[in-house]
Amino acid sequence: MKYEATIGLETHVMQKTNSKMFCSCKYEYGAEPNTHVCPTCLGYPGALPVMNEMAIELCCKAGMLLGCEINPYSKWDRKNYFYPDMAKNYQITQADEPLCIGGQVEVEVEGEMKTFTLERIHQEENAAKNTHVAGASLVDYNRAGTALMEIVSNPCMSSAEDALAYMAYVKQIMQYGGISNCDQEKGQMRSDVNISVRPIGQKELGEKVEIKNMNSFAFIKDAIEYEIDRQTTLLESGGSVVQETRGYDPDRGETFTQRTKENAHDYRYFPEPDLMPVQVPEEQLKQWRSELPELPAQRQVRYVEQLGLPEYDAGVLTADMATSDWFEQAMQHTKNAKAVSNFIMGEMMRLLSEQNVEISESKLTPENLAEIIELIDAKIISTGAGKQVFEMIFNEGGEPKIIVEEKGMAQVSDDSALEGWADEAIASNPQPVEEYKAGNPASINFLMGQVMKASRGKANPGAVMQMLKQKLDA
Amino acid sequence: MAELHKLTITELSEKLSAGECTSVDIVTDILSSIDARDGAVGAYLTVDRDDALDQAKMADEARTAGKASPMLGIPVAIKDLLNVKGQPCTCSSKVLEGYTAPYDATVIAKLREAGAVLLGRVNMDEFAMGSSTENAALGKTSNPWNLDHVPGGSSGGSAACVAADEAIASLGSDTGGSIRQPAAFCGSVGMKPTYGRVSRYGLTAFASSLDQIGPITKTVKDSAILLETLCGLDPMDSSSIDVEVPALGEQLTDDTSLEGMKLGLPKEYFVEGMDPEVEKAVRDAVEHCKSLGAEIVDVSLPNAKYAIAVYYIIATAEASANLARFDGIRYGMRLDGKDPAELYAKTRSAGFGQEVKRRIILGTYVLSSGYYDAYYLKAQKVRTLIRSDFTEAFKTCDAILSPVTPTAAYKKGEKTDDPLKMYLDDILTTPVNLAGNCALSVPCGFTSAGMPIGLQIIGDDFQEETILKVGHAYEQTTEWHKERPSL
Amino acid sequence: MSKTHEGMDVGYVAKLACIDLTEEETTLFQGQLNQVLHYVEQLDELDVSNVESTAHAIPVFNVFRKDVVGTSLNHADVMANAPSSVNGEVRVPKIIDQ
Ligand SMILES: [Zn+2]
């Protein structure tokens, strides 16, 4: 018998708001512990939540970008469970009336376009951060109560590749939409994965296993593959899968039982009396829709059609929002799209990966690159010199024109200087001159090399060639 | 200068404006009244003497500098579930031992702004769960009219201190009658404002969809003045409602006519088991209102009889979540354990009293998997019916008259062994919390044993103005509110 | 809902609520709460299938705050309230994933 896997994802995305979901404390990653806390996010007696308008806007916009319907009426519920990361011992979330309903995305998986559907997106609040030390755990409530969305897919994927492509797409869209930075290392994007396996042809899904709280794509891939394998092996050997929650141990590359169905939480959801329901007015939705950013697919088309870039370049540039934005900024200062694209895909990406930094951390600004390209196009420096300037500024910062001047990198196109070097090259190399005149045009390259050498690389190669031809053809 | 403690907000405010006394005089007098009586009454958990005198001094200085406000310099006692910055907020529970409030409740901020003097914090049933202030872990409070009797609850301390002239006024909170019932038991005036009228920010929640803060005072006019100070939209409380705050105090004049006013009498409110003395006093009060010109009409609140069942499902469910935060982690009492689960269980078992545990368990049960629809959802639907009853009734009347409680204050210990019996006493007060509208408790007589009886005046949403007007007219033409307990 | 309460297991529910009851308390509460649940059964008389539920007595919508950072609590006050703390963090017994 053959088996197939069914996968659904619950992806938690931390929104890019200034303040928390239900209080005005700042969200700041890496701040001193328990410095951005107040009675509300600490669950002090008497404190009350008030909705952050921006979080609602971002959640609705996320829904619009992922093809959801915005629920005309959504409400809040309390999800009760005791845990040291949950200050009130209940989480404010949305059980039966989430902000966004449905949704679907088109994603390329290994060259094939696939459609994945969403069940919902709901808004909730984040938990505090626990760290573990010898004999105790410590709680930092800075993250407690920050705005968190849960994007719930339907069980519509069948492989780790599907899941990864879906998550990469969601991440890209969230970044483009300004919804979240989705920095996984900072816990801004985490997923719970639901996996079941059934014999091919069976209608109903197999027993579902949930793997909780993973932030690395690599771990998610490994965990899914391990789990599909484990369940399939179990079924093949006549066993059965137990519905449960499992954790993933990246060191051993295995999943392990965390909580069985018998011990499942009874969350006792009920309507949150402290918060009022949300009914986003139609005009507001219209306004938000009009503010939605251009998505990568749309940008790609524009790069090809309006900027004349090859499809390949457009794809590479738009894959990541920060890169694409950087490109757009450079294009405000130059018209030479292909040159900008070449520099980003070449020098920039090489240096970023060598030094393991983000494009936002580059000391070289988009204006700097535009200026370098301008210098090259004006034949003031050679392309090679341009690359050198690029790397220098990338590492040290600086102004292209000043560096070219200080380092004496400008090309010499001045006829009198070139003429001297050309005459000398012709005079001291009679043999290549003879050969050229005898009908071997390649021999001129040797003379050219001599001139470049004499100029210590600063001679403008085009001008040199022209000068030599002029003299030899005369 | 003696006897200032016996006066009302209205009287003291006049004296202060006229320069006949200072706030320091009043507070000094109140403090000696507390010294003389609180040993017997036990209303206070803490009296902040020095702080109160400092506030009084500041109020006097502000007055000299030209500030004028009816509450300026008036000493007020606070139910110990309101957060007052820098002070404990025990809710009369051991579980909050060691907690210092880092912020002011909105009502406290409003009192400070008005220049009122915060005297100290008064006793209550633990987390406002109770009707007799016997479920209090940190103090025992007696009814000033008879020290063997309960002061009512849960705002028992708030009502007792006003009745005993140990405060000019106080703040209480009302979830199912917790202001009106102790006010009735102690012969004070208690107001449960419309839900959303007064911000709940800083009020330790019992049942969030029912809780309201309100004043307990010696007169209806004082109630109006203090309520006016507390009202208003608060951006910190999402359930706070943006309605205009009328000049509640000013509208109450010497005109005590109720001409043109229609007062409803709900037949369902004269329940089986009601003390005939209570019924008679209330019926007399109805007649009295008629003599003031009011038209008495029959109204029906057919679903009110379900109020206790609905109330004890909704209130305990909300409480089970609201009280989950008392876990020994971030503040308050902690009994350590080998893991967090053990810590929670040890702390909560030792920290909560029996009634609180009983209600948390009931509330947890009605929300638990498989029972939600049968209990919680059903209760929420019947709640709709109870609210519709009031909406219907207010189409034919301006206010509704009823008793506050089926009996007057009873002896301590009389009902502690039978929770259901204690719960049933809330039958006349809980419908208003479920419906969300407002109600006032005004003294309307005494039993033959000398215990006060309360008249409940129920108003429609945000019709505090109306019920205060009725209460004021009744009070000013009767003598009940002038009676003081002999302590 | 009739009869459902016969099965109310006070011990189990107390565990959900993170409360340890003594044996006496369990017995006492079992009796008292069954009495309360029996009383509550009177709601069965009502047919509420077509009635909307009330979560907020006086419903309003869209109560928002602007996404503006306000003042947080003084760190020292937060730590002073915590029964146990280490290096500015709240200390709890070791969390073993349940
Ligand atoms: Zn906060």
Side-chain angles (χ1 to χ4, degrees), chain A residues 71-230:
Chain A
N71 194 346
Y73 169 92
S74 83
K75 68 181 238 302
W76 304 92
D77 298 277
R78 292 184 181 178
K79 177 182 181 182
N80 295 285
Y81 65 98
F82 281 81
Y83 206 73
D85 65 5
M86 200 39 80
K88 303 180 295 298
N89 289 316
Y90 60 81
Q91 181 190 31
I92 303 177
T93 180
Q94 302 189 295
D96 55 347
E97 295 288 359
L99 268 172
C100 312
I101 301 169
Q104 68 170 52
V105 296
E106 307 284 323
V107 181
E108 189 179 321
V109 187
E110 296 176 323
E112 184 192 341
M113 288 310 286
K114 289 189 177 178
T115 301
F116 299 127
T117 57
L118 304 188
E119 184 196 316
R120 60 191 279 164
I121 306 177
H122 63 257
Q123 181 67 53
E124 56 188 29
E125 56 175 337
N126 213 340
K129 193 170 143 236
N130 294 324
T131 46
H132 307 290
V133 295
S137 298
L138 304 178
V139 196
D140 170 11
Y141 292 91
N142 283 346
R143 202 183 65 191
T146 52
L148 187 71
M149 297 182 310
E150 185 172 331
I151 304 171
V152 184
S153 85
N154 284 317
C156 59
M157 292 165 239
S158 53
S159 66
E161 287 71 29
D162 283 358
L164 253 51
Y166 164 82
M167 277 189 294
Y169 180 80
V170 168
K171 177 176 176 175
Q172 189 189 41
I173 298 297
M174 291 303 107
Q175 290 177 337
Y176 266 89
I179 314 285
S180 170
N181 290 332
C182 290
D183 186 332
Q184 285 145 289
E185 276 172 31
K186 293 179 181 169
Q188 290 169 353
M189 186 182 187
R190 289 171 283 165
S191 289
D192 302 338
V193 186
N194 292 303
I195 307 174
S196 63
V197 166
R198 63 178 162 187
I200 288 177
Q202 180 180 306
K203 216 170 172 197
E204 56 277 13
L205 294 175
E207 284 293 341
K208 180 179 82 174
V209 166
E210 183 175 30
I211 311 170
K212 282 265 186 205
N213 208 17
M214 291 180 288
N215 62 2
S216 142
F217 281 5
F219 291 167
I220 293 172
K221 180 171 187 287
D222 292 349
I224 292 175
E225 282 168 353
Y226 176 87
E227 192 55 30
I228 292 175
D229 205 45
R230 185 186 73 87

Side-chain angles (χ1 to χ4, degrees), chain A residues 20 23 25 37-38 41:
Chain A
K20 295 186 182 182
C23 65
C25 290
V37 291
C38 74
C41 56

Side-chain angles (χ1 to χ4, degrees), chain B residues 100 194 241 306 313 329-332 334 337 340 348-349 357-358 361 365 374-375 378 380-381 384 387 424, chain C residues 1 4 13 17-18 20 25 32 40 42-43 45-46 51-52 54-55 57-58 81-83 90-91 93-94:
Chain B
T100 303
T194 309
I241 292 172
Y306 300 113
I313 292 170
I329 302 287
R330 297 161 313 287
Y331 49 81
R334 176 188 288 196
R348 290 163 61 79
S349 305
K357 288 185 211 175
R358 192 156 38 228
I361 288 167
Y365 177 70
Y375 291 110
K378 180 137 203 180
Q380 277 203 324
K381 289 178 166 198
T384 307
R387 182 166 163 78
L424 292 175
Chain C
M1 74 190 66
T4 43
V13 179
C18 283
D20 275 345
E25 277 176 321
Q32 291 171 333
V40 161
Q42 63 175 288
L43 296 184
E45 299 164 18
L46 290 166
V51 180
E52 290 281 311
T54 295
I58 298 169
N81 261 330
V90 177
R91 187 184 183 279
K94 187 117 187 153

Side-chain angles (χ1 to χ4, degrees), chain A residues 18-20 23-25 33-34 37 44 51-53 83 133 137-139 258-259 273 275-279, chain C residues 16 18 56 60-70 72-73 75 81 88-90 92 94-95 97-98:
Chain A
N18 299 316
S19 61
K20 295 186 182 182
C23 65
S24 66
C25 290
N34 297 309
V37 291
Y44 270 28
M51 288 181 261
N52 183 336
E53 195 172 36
Y83 206 73
V133 295
S137 298
L138 304 178
V139 196
Q258 260 182 342
R259 178 180 287 274
L275 288 169
M276 296 299 156
V278 180
Q279 281 183 319
Chain C
L16 267 183
C18 283
H56 299 97
V60 286
F61 292 92
N62 301 344
V63 183
F64 297 118
R65 40 171 276 273
K66 296 268 173 239
D67 181 26
V68 176
V69 174
S72 291
L73 284 178
H75 177 71
N81 261 330
E89 298 202 58
V90 177
V92 298
K94 187 117 187 153
I95 299 168
D97 251 313
Q98 310 145 324

Side-chain angles (χ1 to χ4, degrees), chain A residues 60-77:
Chain A
C60 288
K61 282 182 170 172
M64 291 169 179
L65 290 171
L66 296 175
C68 308
E69 292 288 319
I70 306 304
N71 194 346
Y73 169 92
S74 83
K75 68 181 238 302
W76 304 92
D77 298 277

